[in-house]
Amino acid sequence: QPARVEEIWLEFHDKKHNAFGKVFGEEQFSTLTANAAACPFFIVPVIKEDGAFFNLLSQWQDTVFLLTFLDDYQADPTSAQPYLTISTYGELLESKQMGLLRGDVGAALKYAEAEAVTQVLVSAYTDPEQFRRVSIFNNAPDEFDFEEYLSFVKGP
């Protein structure tokens, strides 16, 4: 039963202080992974309580989003350490019409920040209007309007 699988996955991750789980329907999961394969890079601002922010660069590799501090990546992409790793599991797509996601939170991020980053990232890859920004970031980076995007992420 898909509902039981979801319950087990979420309960297992509820006991973790540095990891979380999410469950997606087949369509949303397939959209997420297909769009990530087509446009593997994106930027996600981490908004602090005082309104300040720093940027994480997300890179899709096979079935995993690796997110690292943008400045570290710019200095040396090969040594930039992940702040957050988001793994996707599509093994249940055919049998249960569901996909699983696990976020592993590094020491440099707070748990709540990691969950917020994941929500922004998933929305960016699954919502057609938001995915337009991801596509521009990957295919026409000179046209990417970071200030507009930052305002969108910060909200009203």
Side-chain angles (χ1 to χ4, degrees):
Q1 298 288 4
R4 182 67 182 132
V5 171
E6 179 174 356
E7 181 183 344
I8 291 168
W9 185 253
L10 296 178
E11 278 181 14
F12 174 77
H13 287 93
D14 278 348
K15 296 173 177 70
K16 307 272 183 208
H17 71 280
N18 62 349
F20 55 87
K22 299 203 177 294
V23 178
F24 297 101
E26 180 179 17
E27 184 178 345
Q28 186 180 23
F29 185 87
S30 296
T31 299
L32 173 70
T33 56
N35 285 347
C39 295
F41 289 95
F42 199 49
I43 192 167
V44 182
V46 178
I47 312 300
K48 304 301 252 176
E49 290 176 8
D50 63 2
F53 69 94
F54 63 91
N55 291 311
L56 294 179
L57 180 71
S58 171
Q59 180 179 8
W60 174 257
Q61 293 183 359
D62 192 32
T63 60
V64 178
F65 288 101
L66 299 171
L67 291 99
T68 190
F69 186 50
L70 178 61
D71 292 351
D72 289 351
Y73 184 86
Q74 288 172 327
D76 182 2
T78 61
S79 69
Q81 296 298 307
Y83 280 33
L84 174 63
T85 303
I86 303 170
S87 303
T88 61
Y89 303 94
E91 292 84 354
L92 299 176
L93 286 174
E94 283 188 35
S95 63
K96 307 283 186 204
Q97 293 74 50
M98 64 192 316
L100 306 176
L101 179 147
R102 175 187 168 105
D104 288 291
V105 185
L109 273 187
K110 294 179 182 171
Y111 186 90
E113 291 171 338
E115 285 198 308
V117 164
T118 301
Q119 181 59 47
V120 169
L121 192 66
V122 168
S123 295
Y125 278 95
T126 58
D127 177 87
E129 181 58 30
Q130 291 186 49
F131 183 66
R132 184 183 59 77
R133 287 187 187 96
V134 178
S135 182
I136 290 169
F137 185 84
N138 281 268
N139 300 307
D142 291 343
E143 297 174 25
F144 183 74
D145 185 345
F146 178 76
E147 294 303 323
E148 181 274 332
Y149 171 60
L150 179 61
S151 294
F152 173 80
V153 172
K154 283 185 170 182

